[in-house]
Amino acid sequence: MLKNIIRGIKGYFGAFGLISKLKLWKYFAIPMLISFATAMAIFAIAYGWSDNFGSFISKAWVWEWGKETFTTISTIVGGIIIVVIGLILFKHIIMALSAPFMSPVSEKIETHFTGNPPLYLRNTSFTQQLWRGIRINGRNLIMELLLTIPVLLLKLIPLVNIFSTFLLFLIQAYYAGFGNMDYTLERHFKFGESLRFVKNHKGLAIGNGIVFLLILLVPIIGVILVLPLSVTAASKNTVEVLNLKIQEHEV
């Protein structure tokens, strides 16, 4: 697992240069616009709701003693919950809507590294790619929320909230990497087959997602460049694994 996580992180090395070399920037224009607009919308909603959500949580404390302290903690936790859920929604919205634009990018990267058009290519239209993106990310959104909400509740428990933060980060990273890898898997596997592939290569997904999340920490520029860099890195890693499996099968 750790080896594949490191491999997923290393996939970003040279990603910027590869995009320029293969002249892929034009394919990222609309996805970058989608990413920026979505980020601004979610930030505005999170800013407006954080205090209200914190006040709602504080009502659970019915006693007078410690009320002020619990209200302060609730406001902080409420803000964190809004940010985390906002980040989850951001990931899956931009990945789903960008699917038809990312598929050609992934295909060109695969052709570059293999020297041939992708093997076992599944021909899909713009609409099919969009639907695939919506279906994959819709499923991942539900799964991620089911895992995230219980972990968020642990933040109300002192000391335990330290470990819950790390766990939240790993969950977010896994599903971010999952979405990035599927732009390549879409050409090779059906829906269920892709789920099994990523499940068997969790480390690659987590490694890719870790850098994805770190890029988002860079103000403004992060939400613009996160897709180009993460999709390029994920495509490189996924193509390598697919080619290795093909070679093993031929042997």
Side-chain angles (χ1 to χ4, degrees):
M1 173 75 81
L2 181 59
K3 182 178 179 180
N4 276 335
I5 289 177
I6 295 173
R7 187 178 179 183
I9 294 173
K10 286 183 175 180
Y12 284 83
F13 295 175
F16 202 96
L18 182 61
I19 295 173
S20 299
K21 180 179 180 179
L22 300 183
K23 301 178 179 179
L24 301 176
W25 287 113
K26 60 184 178 182
Y27 294 98
F28 291 115
I30 294 179
M32 285 192 292
L33 180 60
I34 292 173
S35 181
F36 180 77
T38 303
M40 292 302 99
I42 290 177
F43 176 80
I45 294 173
Y47 181 80
W49 286 8
S50 58
D51 289 342
N52 294 334
F53 196 67
S55 298
F56 176 77
I57 295 176
S58 67
K59 292 179 180 179
W61 191 269
V62 296
W63 303 275
E64 287 300 323
W65 62 272
K67 182 72 173 179
E68 186 176 343
T69 300
F70 188 80
T71 299
T72 300
I73 295 174
S74 297
T75 300
I76 295 173
V77 172
I80 293 174
I81 291 175
I82 291 293
V83 169
V84 170
I85 293 178
L87 183 56
I88 291 173
L89 291 174
F90 170 78
K91 292 201 312 283
H92 295 298
I93 288 173
I94 65 170
M95 287 182 178
L97 298 181
S98 299
F101 306 99
M102 296 298 95
S103 185
V105 169
S106 177
E107 184 174 343
K108 288 182 179 297
I109 291 173
E110 182 168 356
T111 300
H112 170 73
F113 282 106
T114 62
N116 299 297
L119 297 174
Y120 311 116
L121 179 65
R122 296 177 64 247
N123 293 316
T124 53
S125 65
F126 182 97
T127 303
Q128 289 173 321
Q129 291 165 3
L130 178 60
W131 173 240
R132 164 77 173 230
I134 293 173
R135 189 181 177 194
I136 280 284
N137 286 282
R139 177 262 181 195
N140 286 351
L141 171 61
I142 294 173
M143 293 298 298
E144 189 169 355
L145 286 174
L146 288 175
L147 292 172
T148 298
I149 292 175
V151 177
L152 283 173
L153 295 177
L154 294 177
K155 286 194 165 298
L156 295 173
I157 305 175
L159 297 180
V160 175
N161 56 17
I162 298 175
F163 299 100
S164 66
T165 299
F166 179 70
L167 183 56
L168 274 176
F169 186 80
L170 290 182
I171 293 172
Q172 291 256 2
Y174 174 70
Y175 285 105
F178 193 140
N180 288 325
M181 291 174 66
D182 193 64
Y183 296 131
T184 298
L185 298 177
E186 180 270 337
R187 292 190 303 279
H188 297 268
F189 300 131
K190 294 180 180 179
F191 186 86
E193 294 170 333
S194 290
L195 299 184
R196 287 191 292 272
F197 182 94
V198 178
K199 184 177 181 180
N200 292 332
H201 299 85
K202 292 186 184 73
L204 283 180
I206 293 173
N208 180 270
I210 286 174
V211 182
F212 178 100
L213 296 176
L214 293 178
I215 292 175
L216 287 179
L217 294 178
V218 182
I220 301 178
I221 296 177
V223 299
I224 295 175
L225 293 180
V226 68
L227 270 182
L229 296 178
S230 62
V231 171
T232 300
S235 297
K236 288 168 55 182
N237 286 333
T238 307
V239 167
E240 289 176 358
V241 174
L242 287 172
N243 284 340
L244 181 61
K245 288 185 175 296
I246 292 173
Q247 292 172 8
E248 291 175 349
H249 180 72
E250 291 177 345
V251 172

